[in-house]
Amino acid sequence: MMSTEGRKDSTEGGSSSRTAAGSSAAADQQQQQTSAALSRYESQKKRDWNTFGQYLKNQTPPVALSQCNCNHVVEFMRYLDQFGKTKVHLHGCVFFGQPDPPAPCTCPLRQAWGSLDALIGRLRAAYEEHGGSPETNPFGNGAIRVYLREVKECQAKARGIPYKKKKRKRSQLKGNEEDNQPKLLP
């Protein structure tokens, strides 16, 4: 189609159309370079932000981003479970608590805890990049951290692999205790 326009320009002697077509192609090329220049993280963050925005628009009634709260974020994470690939055994399942079950079962597939945690991190950053204040950021709300912790513990129990808090090294503890001891004056 562009070649037809080019021939039309040359027969009519007009150069302004050719310049417009050339600048349009240059703009397309620049847009491709810009999107190619985005890091994987930035691309994913942009995709996640657009997905969350679409989720809010599809609510009945639609929810404006300014009206979004932590409940919408938790519901979004629950909604994403239907696209998950991680088998999470239910309490009644014979494979509950087994890391490597020997046979398939009918337990649901869910989003993995780590995927949700990373998603929230990206959305939290995107919210602030789009003009939201850190104080009103629904992705940074304590309820989100509680929900993520519950998902993490539930998935760990279902797999039989408990997540344990990292313990501080004894040398750090001893050093802190010595610092807290009263010093004797000479």
Side-chain angles (χ1 to χ4, degrees):
M1 186 170 183
M2 215 156 83
S3 60
T4 312
E5 289 175 6
R7 270 189 254 127
K8 186 185 223 181
D9 289 342
S10 62
T11 57
E12 294 174 6
S15 62
S16 62
S17 296
R18 211 175 316 137
T19 308
S23 64
S24 174
D28 289 344
Q29 184 179 9
Q30 184 179 10
Q31 184 178 6
Q32 288 174 351
Q33 288 174 347
T34 304
S35 62
L38 289 177
S39 69
R40 184 175 179 212
Y41 170 80
E42 291 296 329
S43 298
Q44 187 65 49
K45 183 170 55 172
K46 182 178 179 181
R47 189 167 36 251
D48 292 340
W49 182 253
N50 291 338
T51 302
F52 183 70
Q54 191 61 47
Y55 170 81
L56 291 177
K57 286 178 188 172
N58 291 340
Q59 297 303 296
T60 310
V63 177
L65 190 59
S66 60
Q67 301 301 312
C68 172
N69 62 38
C70 63
N71 295 327
H72 296 107
V73 176
V74 170
E75 287 304 315
F76 177 64
M77 288 190 283
R78 288 186 178 136
Y79 160 78
L80 290 177
D81 271 341
Q82 66 183 313
F83 308 110
K85 298 175 186 167
T86 301
K87 178 77 74 170
V88 179
H89 298 288
L90 302 173
H91 284 284
C93 179
V94 295
F95 302 129
F96 183 81
Q98 293 185 22
D100 298 312
C105 67
T106 60
C107 291
L109 293 173
R110 302 249 167 98
Q111 286 291 335
W113 164 79
S115 298
L116 291 175
D117 188 49
L119 168 74
I120 293 301
R122 290 189 299 269
L123 288 173
R124 186 176 184 173
Y127 179 85
E128 293 176 19
E129 286 175 9
H130 285 86
S133 72
E135 294 79 25
T136 61
N137 192 333
F139 303 101
N141 190 289
I144 304 303
R145 287 191 296 276
V146 169
Y147 178 78
L148 287 172
R149 187 179 327 115
E150 289 172 358
V151 169
K152 178 180 178 182
E153 291 169 358
C154 173
Q155 290 184 4
K157 287 177 186 173
R159 293 185 311 149
I161 304 171
Y163 285 105
K164 294 181 180 177
K165 288 186 178 179
K166 293 180 181 178
K167 295 180 181 178
R168 288 197 278 178
K169 294 179 183 177
R170 288 187 176 223
S171 62
Q172 287 178 341
L173 290 174
K174 285 181 182 176
N176 289 341
E177 289 172 7
E178 290 173 3
D179 291 341
N180 293 335
Q181 294 297 323
K183 297 194 181 350
L184 296 175
L185 295 174

